[in-house]
Tab-separated table of all heavy atoms in Angstrom:
chain	number	residue	atom	x	y	z
E	209	ASN	N	-14.128	9.502	-3.569
E	209	ASN	CA	-15.182	10.469	-3.810
E	209	ASN	C	-15.298	10.919	-5.285
E	209	ASN	O	-16.414	11.079	-5.767
E	209	ASN	CB	-15.048	11.702	-2.884
E	209	ASN	CG	-13.699	12.329	-2.901
E	209	ASN	OD1	-12.740	11.650	-3.331
E	209	ASN	ND2	-13.580	13.595	-2.619
E	210	LEU	N	-14.134	11.071	-5.903
E	210	LEU	CA	-14.160	11.515	-7.326
E	210	LEU	C	-14.696	10.365	-8.201
E	210	LEU	O	-15.337	10.644	-9.196
E	210	LEU	CB	-12.753	11.942	-7.784
E	210	LEU	CG	-12.201	13.098	-7.080
E	210	LEU	CD1	-10.760	13.485	-7.580
E	210	LEU	CD2	-13.075	14.324	-7.139
E	211	MET	N	-14.393	9.193	-7.851
E	211	MET	CA	-14.948	8.024	-8.614
E	211	MET	C	-16.405	7.913	-8.363
E	211	MET	O	-17.177	7.519	-9.297
E	211	MET	CB	-14.239	6.706	-8.153
E	211	MET	CG	-12.765	6.693	-8.496
E	211	MET	SD	-12.379	6.936	-10.200
E	211	MET	CE	-12.918	5.417	-10.969
E	212	GLN	N	-16.970	8.280	-7.212
E	212	GLN	CA	-18.372	8.254	-7.022
E	212	GLN	C	-19.075	9.314	-7.904
E	212	GLN	O	-20.130	9.127	-8.399
E	212	GLN	CB	-18.696	8.458	-5.521
E	212	GLN	CG	-18.408	7.130	-4.789
E	212	GLN	CD	-18.455	7.315	-3.259
E	212	GLN	OE1	-18.656	8.501	-2.768
E	212	GLN	NE2	-18.242	6.287	-2.528
E	213	GLU	N	-18.397	10.463	-8.023
E	213	GLU	CA	-18.883	11.486	-8.898
E	213	GLU	C	-19.037	10.974	-10.310
E	213	GLU	O	-20.014	11.288	-10.988
E	213	GLU	CB	-17.932	12.666	-8.964
E	213	GLU	CG	-18.294	13.864	-8.098
E	213	GLU	CD	-17.152	14.892	-8.201
E	213	GLU	OE1	-16.694	15.233	-9.280
E	213	GLU	OE2	-16.776	15.375	-7.182
E	214	LEU	N	-18.097	10.171	-10.759
E	214	LEU	CA	-18.130	9.589	-12.076
E	214	LEU	C	-19.336	8.624	-12.220
E	214	LEU	O	-20.005	8.606	-13.197
E	214	LEU	CB	-16.832	8.899	-12.342
E	214	LEU	CG	-16.409	8.707	-13.855
E	214	LEU	CD1	-16.377	10.046	-14.586
E	214	LEU	CD2	-15.036	8.111	-13.873
E	215	GLN	N	-19.481	7.870	-11.138
E	215	GLN	CA	-20.683	6.956	-11.129
E	215	GLN	C	-21.981	7.699	-11.218
E	215	GLN	O	-22.951	7.257	-11.867
E	215	GLN	CB	-20.679	6.113	-9.884
E	215	GLN	CG	-19.581	5.076	-9.806
E	215	GLN	CD	-19.663	4.250	-8.543
E	215	GLN	OE1	-19.782	4.810	-7.460
E	215	GLN	NE2	-19.511	2.965	-8.657
E	216	LYS	N	-22.044	8.832	-10.619
E	216	LYS	CA	-23.249	9.696	-10.698
E	216	LYS	C	-23.488	10.136	-12.145
E	216	LYS	O	-24.627	10.132	-12.534
E	216	LYS	CB	-23.066	10.926	-9.777
E	216	LYS	CG	-24.294	11.742	-9.618
E	216	LYS	CD	-24.119	12.898	-8.716
E	216	LYS	CE	-25.190	13.937	-8.820
E	216	LYS	NZ	-24.850	15.193	-8.103
E	217	ILE	N	-22.497	10.405	-12.875
E	217	ILE	CA	-22.658	10.846	-14.329
E	217	ILE	C	-23.341	9.731	-15.025
E	217	ILE	O	-24.300	9.843	-15.756
E	217	ILE	CB	-21.315	11.244	-14.915
E	217	ILE	CG1	-20.755	12.495	-14.228
E	217	ILE	CG2	-21.482	11.403	-16.481
E	217	ILE	CD1	-19.440	12.942	-14.783
E	218	VAL	N	-22.837	8.434	-14.834
E	218	VAL	CA	-23.369	7.341	-15.480
E	218	VAL	C	-24.841	7.144	-15.074
E	218	VAL	O	-25.776	6.905	-15.866
E	218	VAL	CB	-22.527	6.009	-15.174
E	218	VAL	CG1	-23.153	4.803	-15.698
E	218	VAL	CG2	-21.172	6.173	-15.644
E	219	ARG	N	-25.043	7.288	-13.757
E	219	ARG	CA	-26.414	7.080	-13.268
E	219	ARG	C	-27.445	8.006	-13.889
E	219	ARG	O	-28.502	7.622	-14.261
E	219	ARG	CB	-26.361	7.260	-11.703
E	219	ARG	CG	-27.197	6.353	-10.936
E	219	ARG	CD	-26.802	6.258	-9.462
E	219	ARG	NE	-26.549	7.513	-8.841
E	219	ARG	CZ	-25.473	7.831	-8.142
E	219	ARG	NH1	-24.527	6.931	-8.028
E	219	ARG	NH2	-25.335	8.977	-7.567
E	220	VAL	N	-27.101	9.322	-13.956
E	220	VAL	CA	-28.069	10.202	-14.530
E	220	VAL	C	-28.242	10.069	-16.005
E	220	VAL	O	-29.302	10.265	-16.550
E	220	VAL	CB	-27.675	11.751	-14.205
E	220	VAL	CG1	-27.634	11.952	-12.708
E	220	VAL	CG2	-26.448	12.114	-14.899
E	221	LEU	N	-27.157	9.583	-16.682
E	221	LEU	CA	-27.308	9.314	-18.162
E	221	LEU	C	-28.365	8.178	-18.354
E	221	LEU	O	-29.217	8.201	-19.243
E	221	LEU	CB	-26.020	8.971	-18.783
E	221	LEU	CG	-24.916	10.048	-18.944
E	221	LEU	CD1	-23.666	9.490	-19.460
E	221	LEU	CD2	-25.539	11.163	-19.917
E	222	LYS	N	-28.280	7.202	-17.443
E	222	LYS	CA	-29.195	6.055	-17.547
E	222	LYS	C	-30.632	6.478	-17.253
E	222	LYS	O	-31.570	5.722	-17.655
E	222	LYS	CB	-28.809	4.960	-16.578
E	222	LYS	CG	-27.548	4.198	-16.991
E	222	LYS	CD	-27.399	2.919	-16.236
E	222	LYS	CE	-26.036	2.303	-16.639
E	222	LYS	NZ	-25.815	2.030	-18.037
E	223	LYS	N	-30.852	7.598	-16.613
E	223	LYS	CA	-32.224	8.038	-16.351
E	223	LYS	C	-32.879	8.387	-17.611
E	223	LYS	O	-34.151	8.150	-17.759
E	223	LYS	CB	-32.214	9.200	-15.377
E	223	LYS	CG	-32.047	8.813	-13.968
E	223	LYS	CD	-32.247	10.039	-13.071
E	223	LYS	CE	-31.857	9.628	-11.636
E	223	LYS	NZ	-31.831	10.783	-10.721
E	224	LEU	N	-32.139	8.864	-18.591
E	224	LEU	CA	-32.681	9.241	-19.893
E	224	LEU	C	-32.690	8.126	-20.880
E	224	LEU	O	-33.657	7.900	-21.637
E	224	LEU	CB	-31.874	10.397	-20.479
E	224	LEU	CG	-32.118	11.769	-19.839
E	224	LEU	CD1	-31.267	12.813	-20.427
E	224	LEU	CD2	-33.549	12.214	-19.960
E	225	ASP	N	-31.621	7.282	-20.761
E	225	ASP	CA	-31.527	6.201	-21.736
E	225	ASP	C	-30.783	5.055	-20.895
E	225	ASP	O	-29.613	5.215	-20.598
E	225	ASP	CB	-30.702	6.593	-22.918
E	225	ASP	CG	-30.425	5.481	-23.911
E	225	ASP	OD1	-30.725	4.325	-23.622
E	225	ASP	OD2	-29.946	5.794	-24.999
E	226	ASP	N	-31.595	4.012	-20.602
E	226	ASP	CA	-30.917	3.024	-19.686
E	226	ASP	C	-29.810	2.185	-20.373
E	226	ASP	O	-29.171	1.374	-19.753
E	226	ASP	CB	-31.972	2.187	-18.973
E	226	ASP	CG	-32.823	1.373	-19.931
E	226	ASP	OD1	-32.477	1.322	-21.104
E	226	ASP	OD2	-33.808	0.789	-19.523
E	227	THR	N	-29.607	2.371	-21.721
E	227	THR	CA	-28.502	1.653	-22.325
E	227	THR	C	-27.259	2.608	-22.438
E	227	THR	O	-26.246	2.161	-22.802
E	227	THR	CB	-28.927	1.244	-23.754
E	227	THR	OG1	-29.178	2.436	-24.512
E	227	THR	CG2	-30.052	0.329	-23.816
E	228	ALA	N	-27.458	3.900	-22.003
E	228	ALA	CA	-26.290	4.779	-22.062
E	228	ALA	C	-25.441	4.670	-20.815
E	228	ALA	O	-26.048	4.295	-19.773
E	228	ALA	CB	-26.853	6.211	-22.233
E	229	PRO	N	-24.122	5.016	-20.761
E	229	PRO	CA	-23.362	5.341	-22.023
E	229	PRO	C	-23.149	4.086	-22.831
E	229	PRO	O	-22.962	3.062	-22.259
E	229	PRO	CB	-22.064	5.916	-21.442
E	229	PRO	CG	-21.997	5.348	-20.104
E	229	PRO	CD	-23.385	5.097	-19.592
E	230	HIS	N	-23.203	4.194	-24.189
E	230	HIS	CA	-23.058	3.032	-25.063
E	230	HIS	C	-21.609	2.534	-25.136
E	230	HIS	O	-21.339	1.409	-25.506
E	230	HIS	CB	-23.659	3.345	-26.372
E	230	HIS	CG	-25.102	3.802	-26.240
E	230	HIS	ND1	-25.416	5.168	-26.406
E	230	HIS	CD2	-26.212	3.174	-25.913
E	230	HIS	CE1	-26.672	5.353	-26.178
E	230	HIS	NE2	-27.175	4.167	-25.915
E	231	ALA	N	-20.704	3.499	-24.851
E	231	ALA	CA	-19.319	3.120	-24.822
E	231	ALA	C	-18.645	3.975	-23.732
E	231	ALA	O	-18.941	5.194	-23.613
E	231	ALA	CB	-18.633	3.388	-26.111
E	232	THR	N	-17.892	3.294	-22.854
E	232	THR	CA	-17.096	4.094	-21.802
E	232	THR	C	-15.647	3.810	-22.088
E	232	THR	O	-15.260	2.680	-21.934
E	232	THR	CB	-17.522	3.648	-20.457
E	232	THR	OG1	-18.966	3.900	-20.273
E	232	THR	CG2	-16.782	4.491	-19.390
E	233	LEU	N	-14.923	4.784	-22.555
E	233	LEU	CA	-13.529	4.598	-22.910
E	233	LEU	C	-12.640	5.110	-21.921
E	233	LEU	O	-12.682	6.306	-21.478
E	233	LEU	CB	-13.260	5.338	-24.331
E	233	LEU	CG	-14.215	4.935	-25.449
E	233	LEU	CD1	-13.737	5.592	-26.744
E	233	LEU	CD2	-14.259	3.451	-25.641
E	234	LEU	N	-11.700	4.237	-21.464
E	234	LEU	CA	-10.649	4.624	-20.559
E	234	LEU	C	-9.430	5.050	-21.346
E	234	LEU	O	-8.922	4.253	-22.219
E	234	LEU	CB	-10.253	3.496	-19.611
E	234	LEU	CG	-9.083	3.737	-18.656
E	234	LEU	CD1	-9.377	4.870	-17.711
E	234	LEU	CD2	-8.683	2.506	-17.936
E	235	VAL	N	-8.988	6.330	-21.182
E	235	VAL	CA	-7.867	6.798	-21.922
E	235	VAL	C	-6.553	6.605	-21.133
E	235	VAL	O	-6.420	6.975	-20.003
E	235	VAL	CB	-8.010	8.357	-22.222
E	235	VAL	CG1	-6.859	8.829	-23.066
E	235	VAL	CG2	-9.290	8.552	-23.037
E	236	LEU	N	-5.618	5.841	-21.686
E	236	LEU	CA	-4.335	5.607	-21.035
E	236	LEU	C	-3.225	6.254	-21.718
E	236	LEU	O	-3.134	6.295	-22.976
E	236	LEU	CB	-4.092	4.102	-20.999
E	236	LEU	CG	-4.956	3.127	-20.277
E	236	LEU	CD1	-4.641	1.701	-20.646
E	236	LEU	CD2	-4.838	3.394	-18.821
E	237	ASP	N	-2.328	6.903	-21.025
E	237	ASP	CA	-1.150	7.507	-21.507
E	237	ASP	C	-0.068	6.388	-21.777
E	237	ASP	O	0.129	5.572	-20.872
E	237	ASP	CB	-0.625	8.514	-20.405
E	237	ASP	CG	0.568	9.269	-20.883
E	237	ASP	OD1	1.412	8.803	-21.569
E	237	ASP	OD2	0.637	10.522	-20.544
E	238	ALA	N	0.532	6.419	-22.909
E	238	ALA	CA	1.538	5.333	-23.253
E	238	ALA	C	2.711	5.305	-22.262
E	238	ALA	O	3.334	4.285	-22.103
E	238	ALA	CB	1.989	5.479	-24.645
E	239	THR	N	2.987	6.401	-21.586
E	239	THR	CA	4.153	6.441	-20.622
E	239	THR	C	3.796	5.667	-19.423
E	239	THR	O	4.685	5.391	-18.612
E	239	THR	CB	4.554	7.880	-20.357
E	239	THR	OG1	3.466	8.538	-19.741
E	239	THR	CG2	5.040	8.641	-21.518
E	240	VAL	N	2.557	5.333	-19.160
E	240	VAL	CA	2.141	4.758	-17.944
E	240	VAL	C	2.867	3.372	-17.803
E	240	VAL	O	3.024	2.639	-18.719
E	240	VAL	CB	0.659	4.644	-17.800
E	240	VAL	CG1	0.116	3.556	-18.742
E	240	VAL	CG2	0.191	4.325	-16.326
Side-chain angles (χ1 to χ4, degrees):
Chain E
N209 52 337
L210 297 181
M211 293 305 287
Q212 283 168 0
E213 258 178 48
L214 204 55
Q215 287 181 315
K216 186 178 166 195
I217 295 177
V218 174
R219 219 161 45 230
V220 301
L221 289 173
K222 285 197 187 304
K223 283 187 184 171
L224 287 176
D225 178 351
D226 61 10
T227 61
H230 306 103
T232 301
L233 305 187
L234 174 65
V235 181
L236 293 172
D237 184 324
T239 59
V240 72

